[in-house]
Amino acid sequence: MAPQAQSPVVAGDSGPWRLVGPWYRWARPGLPEDGRLSAPAIQKFAGNDFITDFLARPQHSLRYDPVVDVVQTQDLVKVPGATLRSLLLALNAQGQVAKPGDVAAGLYRPRVAPGSLRKLYQPAHDRHYLVTCSLHCDAPGFPRVKRDQVCQAGFVVRRRRSVVPAGITASDIEAQTAPVRKLEADLMDLRTLDAAVSDPQSSAELKLNTQARQNALAAQAGQPSWSALVQHTLNTLAAQRQALQQWYEQHQITVAVDGWFPVLVNGKPSTTFGQWKALSAAEQQHDITSGEHTYPLYPLVPDPRETSHDAAGRTMYHGLVPTGGLQHDTQARARFDDQATYEIRCFVRQHHACPGRAGKAPDCHGPLVWSRPTEPFRVAAPFDVLGSANRPITIKMPDLRELAAQAALRPKGRLSPVRFVQPQHLSPKIDDGKPIENEVGGEAICSFSIPLITIIALFVLNLFLPIVVFVFNLWFLLVFRFCIPPSVQAAAGLDAALAVTPPGIDLDAEFSVKVNGLDVLVKPDELKNALTKDNGAMELRVQKDTGMDEVPVLDALGNNALGAIDQSLQDAAARQPDAQGHLPEVPPVGEPLVYEEPVTPVWTLRGATA
């Protein structure tokens, strides 16, 4: 897209100011030439006490993961000879769920393609973000500006929109972005194999077999080693992204920036309703008194006795990055959603030479200093799978024996705190097990106990899960339900073979695995027969796990679909109760917390000279 503007400055009594990123996020920590053009940093944290941790150690934040913390798209791979039921999810060339008429044109399967656009998760995902910046005087030595010279500090969140000239069609853009998306998916496949080798829970056989798979892929690509193949893919992807950027610039595909302006209600800005307004290049650095919604920046003031503090001798600010809220436009469209792209710009106001206004904030109309925009980002959806896995929730179902003992307590209704007030009472009538026609009743008040609502809700979920999976052929959804099913096992040799099968391998092709030191060649037909015809072992496990009345017929599913479901059922079946009847520990959920490496400055500030 269009290149970002240079960092704005304003002339003060001691020279121009620059609002830049914190020193520990510069390319070379502390060197003025790297800091002058840096942008404020968005730092990631976990836990409810992240503010306390940040104030003590500002640079101690979570490291961004190249797969988890970016927006993921899907790359479509054509599968020759596939049927509607042979894939986990059969798609057509447009990425839509395939129908019978799409089979002749060919079916596709999706692959995860992590991009380069940053993704910020919700507080409900146990992820929080702070924007941090520092204020300097643009003079030799890049000294800090004294904090008492600043009248006001804050930031704005703006929306970025792509402006496509007439004549550039969606197919033109797809033709340019498809090679990038394919390389991103290829790199994800390589990272998946690396994760299987480095996972401490992987068995020795799985690690050995995965390494063999890596060596075969490197040889197939003409690379001397696995690391060379990964680096070659990274270099090719970087070059392809650069070529895409050049294509954008050549065809004048630019970025427009919008600001959020609250609607005035009785002369005051509304905290709920507002609208996006386009900002010109000059308006992007306008005075905030124009009405654009702002968020506060807070000074980071360390204990003066802590001379080694990251903010010691520096003028730094921080603010909480919003990733949601109740703000909507007048058409009820949320201000923040998972489809729009955003950026942050920080600002500080310099004290005016004239005396300030007593009791006012800000107390003067001094000039503003704007930072460069932060890296663009999107906000994760509330139901994001990767994000919601970071906040595990345990719901203990009621014990029926305890409920039966408590049911005799009086007075009736004391244990039913959830009250429904019904202006019209809708009460069904059942005759011979079938609902019959009924009339709408009058007013009624019904009270329920929370345990009763919980039992019925879980029952309805378990009742409709197999129906939805069966009717819409969404068998892969069973992977997202991890239960301990009855012990119904498939052939021991097959289970062992699939257990040491590396991720990303094509189960519709012959593959060799190593079980207990012995090479095993698994043929597609043998795998299919073992999964579906070996005494119905696979079907029985699916039936027992989902509670279906009849044994499902899975003959039409392909090996890649059957293998993923079978491995998920194996993971659950392996966690059977021990001899004392105790359940094993549940597998870990979410992403591990990995922090940034501590940074030591190569250049130290000495006092404030501006």
Side-chain angles (χ1 to χ4, degrees), residues 203-232:
S203 63
E205 290 86 358
L206 178 57
K207 292 182 179 180
L208 182 63
N209 197 39
T210 304
Q211 290 172 345
R213 175 70 174 167
Q214 291 176 331
N215 295 333
L217 289 175
Q220 182 180 352
Q223 298 296 325
S225 64
W226 171 254
S227 59
L229 173 61
V230 174
Q231 188 60 48
H232 174 73

Side-chain angles (χ1 to χ4, degrees), residues 366-482:
L368 285 178
V369 180
W370 286 92
S371 72
R372 291 170 58 112
T374 63
E375 62 174 333
F377 63 88
R378 286 188 179 178
V379 176
F383 50 79
D384 186 278
V385 174
L386 298 177
S388 57
N390 294 323
R391 179 83 75 172
I393 300 174
T394 299
I395 300 177
K396 177 66 167 61
M397 293 301 296
D399 189 325
L400 295 180
R401 297 165 298 182
E402 182 180 359
L403 291 181
Q406 294 173 342
L409 297 179
R410 293 292 188 272
K412 186 176 182 179
R414 187 168 65 89
L415 302 180
S416 304
V418 182
R419 177 174 298 182
F420 291 87
V421 178
Q422 305 174 79
Q424 294 83 31
H425 186 207
L426 302 178
S427 181
K429 287 186 178 181
I430 305 297
D431 184 14
D432 194 19
K434 298 179 181 179
I436 62 175
E437 185 177 352
N438 193 14
E439 296 179 355
V440 177
E443 296 184 9
I445 298 177
C446 294
S447 297
F448 294 86
S449 174
I450 292 179
L452 175 59
I453 296 175
T454 305
I455 292 174
I456 301 302
L458 182 60
F459 175 81
V460 173
L461 174 62
N462 290 329
L463 178 66
F464 282 94
L465 175 63
I467 296 176
V468 172
V469 168
F470 176 76
V471 171
F472 296 100
N473 192 33
L474 301 176
W475 298 101
F476 70 93
L477 293 180
L478 298 178
V479 176
F480 295 98
R481 175 180 180 266
F482 189 86

